[in-house]
């Protein structure tokens, strides 16, 4: 068949309703959107768990050994590599910093309630999530928690007189009372430079997602032989959310992941059904001598007329829903997760044509005609 004949015949079938384009488009689009939304809701839920794990401080691991922590080794943990999911090399520790206890500080505003003071390495700002202004460095003053800031009615940039001079508040970090270590909640945190041979008391490291090799890496912040400290010396800043969060395993094992295979399967079934519904017409065309290849080309165009718009509608719905649930920044990532089964649906729809046409022969024309309804 000529190319022009193929396009014109497909166009007539689509515009006349013979190919049932609107019905097939609506069925596939609705079912694909339902399946996609179900999986998207699961993925966004896991993302919310990951954010909650980090924001609760559960991702912070603490290696405590008085006067035995190497602050430089602790700060360098972010460069250490370990095995992640599927045995891939990764950097399991996102941020790390050292901490040690210092003299108490008595503010003029609270003369009867001295505050603990902790020296920290500047890299601790990333562990605690200290909010700093653009023109403020991590070591230009002290840090306090939002709990203490609310109690003192102060903001970032304010100064407070104390028995050790004027204390300038360079940063404030979130530290709610939700089960996490409360030692620094009502304390003055002072960023301090350090040297390689100066011993500190603790090393705090943020590990997200959970990684089995993280504890061994954190143990290397000890001055003595790393294997000398048992892993039980390492504790979490907050255990209210559990002791581990293998969200990557939960993501790969989610039940909704397997439901995504329904979309390509549905596309195949709809395409096969659309072909079988026209078996009398197809058998008659074959009986009249039309080449099977030409018929295949016509039906391929007709199937694309409803499968492509259905997939595009599903992508648009996924993008809109992901934006509403998690914001525009992550919407593209979440939509890309749903894309492979949707692309597969375009291919399985074409496979449905091949199977449907193969099952129809010109010699079946009389039987089809006799049993028609």
């Amino acid at each position: 068949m000529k190319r022009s004949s193929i396009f014109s015949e497909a166009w007539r079938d689509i515009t006349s309703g013979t190919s049932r384009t609107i019905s097939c488009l609506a069925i596939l689009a609705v079912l694909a959107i339902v399946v996609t939304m179900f999986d998207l809701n699961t993925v966004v839920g896991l993302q919310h768990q990951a954010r909650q794990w980090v924001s609760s401080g559960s991702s912070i691991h603490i290696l405590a050994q008085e006067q035995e922590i190497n602050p430089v080794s602790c700060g360098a943990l972010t460069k250490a590599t370990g095995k992640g999911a599927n045995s891939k090399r990764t950097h399991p520790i996102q941020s790390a910093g050292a901490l040690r206890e210092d003299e108490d500080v008595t503010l003029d505003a609270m003369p009867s309630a001295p505050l603990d003071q902790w020296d920290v390495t500047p890299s601790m700002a990333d562990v605690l999530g200290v909010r700093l202004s653009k023109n403020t460095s991590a070591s230009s003053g002290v840090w306090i928690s939002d709990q203490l800031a609310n109690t003192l009615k102060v903001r970032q940039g304010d100064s407070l007189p104390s028995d050790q001079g004027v204390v300038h508040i360079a940063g404030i970090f979130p530290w709610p009372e939700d089960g996490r270590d409360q030692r620094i909640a009502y304390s003055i945190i002072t960023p301090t430079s350090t040297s390689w041979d100066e011993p500190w008391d603790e090393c705090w490291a943020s590990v997200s997602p959970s990684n089995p090799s993280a504890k061994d890496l954190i143990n290397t912040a000890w001055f003595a032989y790393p294997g000398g400290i048992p892993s039980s010396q390492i504790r979490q800043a907050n255990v209210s959310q559990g002791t581990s969060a293998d969200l990557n395993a939960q993501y790969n094992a989610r039940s909704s992941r397997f439901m995504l295979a329904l979309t390509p399967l549905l596309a195949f079934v709809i395409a096969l059904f659309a072909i079988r519904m026209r078996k009398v017409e197809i058998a008659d065309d074959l009986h009249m001598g039309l080449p099977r290849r030409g018929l295949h080309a016509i039906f391929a165009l007709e199937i694309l007329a409803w499968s492509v718009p259905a997939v595009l509608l599903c992508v648009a719905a996924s993008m809109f829903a992901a934006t509403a649930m998690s914001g525009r920044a992550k919407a593209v990532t979440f939509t890309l997760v749903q894309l492979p089964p949707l692309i597969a649906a375009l291919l399985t729809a074409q496979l449905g044509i091949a199977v449907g046409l193969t099952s129809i022969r010109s010699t079946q024309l009389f039987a089809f005609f006799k049993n028609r309804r």
Side-chain angles (χ1 to χ4, degrees), residues 49 53 72 82 109 121 149 160 164-166 205 210 250 287 323 342 344 368:
Q49 289 182 36
W53 174 263
V72 178
T121 53
L160 295 171
Q164 296 184 16
V166 177
S210 297
Q250 293 182 41
H287 182 74
T323 301
L342 295 177
F368 289 156

Side-chain angles (χ1 to χ4, degrees), residues 266-309:
L266 289 169
F268 173 83
V269 172
I270 294 172
L272 179 60
F273 183 76
I275 296 297
R276 294 295 300 179
M277 286 288 289
R278 299 167 65 183
K279 58 188 177 183
V280 175
E281 173 194 343
I282 296 172
D284 183 52
D285 289 339
L286 293 172
H287 182 74
M288 294 296 293
L290 269 69
R292 189 178 292 271
R293 182 178 298 178
L295 289 175
H296 195 160
I298 293 172
F299 289 122
L301 292 174
E302 294 177 10
I303 296 298
L304 286 174
W306 55 260
S307 61
V308 171

Side-chain angles (χ1 to χ4, degrees), residues 59 61 70-82 89-98 121-128 203-208 211 213-214 216-221:
S59 63
H61 291 62
N70 186 324
V72 178
S73 296
C74 177
L77 288 175
T78 55
K79 301 177 182 178
T81 58
R89 305 300 295 180
T90 182
H91 295 279
I93 299 175
Q94 283 70 50
S95 55
T121 53
S123 59
M124 184 68 87
D126 295 328
V127 180
L128 300 179
C203 178
W204 290 34
S206 179
V207 182
S208 179
N211 190 297
S213 62
D216 291 336
L217 293 176
I218 295 173
N219 275 332
T220 62

Side-chain angles (χ1 to χ4, degrees), residues 125-310:
D126 295 328
V127 180
L128 300 179
V130 179
R131 296 187 292 267
L132 300 169
S133 61
K134 294 182 179 179
N135 299 323
T136 303
S137 65
S139 57
S140 61
V142 303
W143 311 332
I144 61 174
S145 71
D146 51 2
Q147 289 191 64
L148 182 57
N150 291 333
T151 300
L152 297 174
K153 306 299 181 183
V154 295
R155 297 179 298 177
Q156 180 182 350
D158 290 348
S159 297
L160 295 171
S162 71
D163 61 345
Q164 296 184 16
V166 177
V167 175
H168 175 70
I169 301 173
I172 297 175
F173 59 93
W175 205 257
E177 192 172 357
D178 56 359
R180 70 182 71 197
D181 190 329
Q182 289 294 301
R183 291 177 300 162
I184 63 173
Y186 285 87
S187 301
I188 301 296
I189 311 298
T190 306
T192 308
S193 58
T194 184
S195 60
W196 177 268
D197 57 351
E198 188 177 2
W200 286 51
D201 299 335
E202 298 181 12
C203 178
W204 290 34
S206 179
V207 182
S208 179
S210 297
N211 190 297
S213 62
K215 286 188 176 182
D216 291 336
L217 293 176
I218 295 173
N219 275 332
T220 62
W222 194 36
F223 262 118
Y225 179 68
I229 292 184
S231 60
S232 58
Q233 292 281 346
I234 298 176
R235 58 184 176 83
Q236 288 176 243
N238 189 351
V239 295
S240 64
Q241 301 292 324
T243 56
S244 64
D246 195 353
L247 297 174
N248 186 63
Q250 293 182 41
Y251 172 80
N252 292 327
R254 71 191 190 281
S255 58
S256 60
R257 176 187 183 186
F258 303 101
M259 289 187 64
L260 293 176
L262 288 176
T263 301
L265 179 61
L266 289 169
F268 173 83
V269 172
I270 294 172
L272 179 60
F273 183 76
I275 296 297
R276 294 295 300 179
M277 286 288 289
R278 299 167 65 183
K279 58 188 177 183
V280 175
E281 173 194 343
I282 296 172
D284 183 52
D285 289 339
L286 293 172
H287 182 74
M288 294 296 293
L290 269 69
R292 189 178 292 271
R293 182 178 298 178
L295 289 175
H296 195 160
I298 293 172
F299 289 122
L301 292 174
E302 294 177 10
I303 296 298
L304 286 174
W306 55 260
S307 61
V308 171

